[in-house]
Amino acid sequence: MGMRAVIAGINNVCGSNDEQITQYIASKSNTNWKQFKSLHVLIGSRGIGQTYHWALKHTVGPAIPDLEQHGSDLIRTNKGNLDYHPQDPSLIHWGKFFVIGKLVGMITLYQNRCFTMPNYRNLEEQPHISYLVFNQVIWDYDTLMNHEVKALESRVLAEPSSIQKMLMSLRG
């Protein structure tokens, strides 16, 4: 689960236009609200992560890079550039491999900072975070579809016309 999943989850808990979740988070703790808004700006889809890259570049201490973002960068670099010159396949596109090396080097640099900075060598383990991350139930496709169908069936009672058509199309 990446940082984008956290933002998407919070944004979609009550629907895209519902202010209830926003008011709830804002009322709980000013610090939590500020952290959420900062993360929202940092991971926003504007500029394909330019804000994230800018913040990471200006981070002085150790930083744990968001591998979801960097993985996306690597995929876009690989898929967006040929391995060779289009008119002469014997010429290698070294620029592509230079950019990939630079991306991998940047990830390694920030990860190594966590091990080399004296204040961050002996971080305490936080079992509640491990539990939240690693003890999740992941549904298979059939289970997910069954839950989707049940949710749609419950909505049919409220608005039978358009949802009933969608439900019928799911059942095929």
Side-chain angles (χ1 to χ4, degrees), residues 106-118:
M106 185 172 54
I107 295 167
T108 306
L109 168 78
Y110 290 110
Q111 287 177 332
N112 285 340
R113 280 188 187 176
C114 294
F115 298 113
T116 59
M117 303 270 310

Side-chain angles (χ1 to χ4, degrees), residues 54-153:
W54 182 86
L56 188 63
K57 181 180 175 182
H58 290 89
T59 299
V60 178
I64 300 172
D66 179 25
L67 294 181
E68 180 182 16
Q69 177 66 48
H70 293 286
S72 173
D73 294 343
L74 287 168
I75 289 168
R76 278 186 287 117
T77 301
N78 185 41
K79 288 188 175 185
N81 298 289
L82 295 174
D83 292 343
Y84 53 86
H85 192 280
Q87 279 78 34
D88 186 1
S90 66
L91 297 176
I92 297 174
H93 186 320
W94 290 111
K96 170 185 176 176
F97 298 104
F98 175 77
V99 171
I100 290 173
K102 200 171 168 183
L103 290 169
V104 171
M106 185 172 54
I107 295 167
T108 306
L109 168 78
Y110 290 110
Q111 287 177 332
N112 285 340
R113 280 188 187 176
C114 294
F115 298 113
T116 59
M117 303 270 310
N119 296 342
Y120 295 93
R121 282 193 193 146
N122 299 318
L123 295 176
E124 292 181 25
E125 183 178 345
Q126 297 184 5
H128 66 282
I129 294 176
S130 297
Y131 178 80
L132 287 173
V133 172
F134 297 115
N135 292 339
Q136 300 299 317
V137 176
I138 300 175
W139 291 343
D140 63 359
Y141 180 77
D142 292 334
T143 305
L144 179 63
M145 290 311 297
N146 285 336
H147 281 276
E148 287 292 320
V149 168
K150 286 178 186 175
L152 285 173
E153 284 174 346

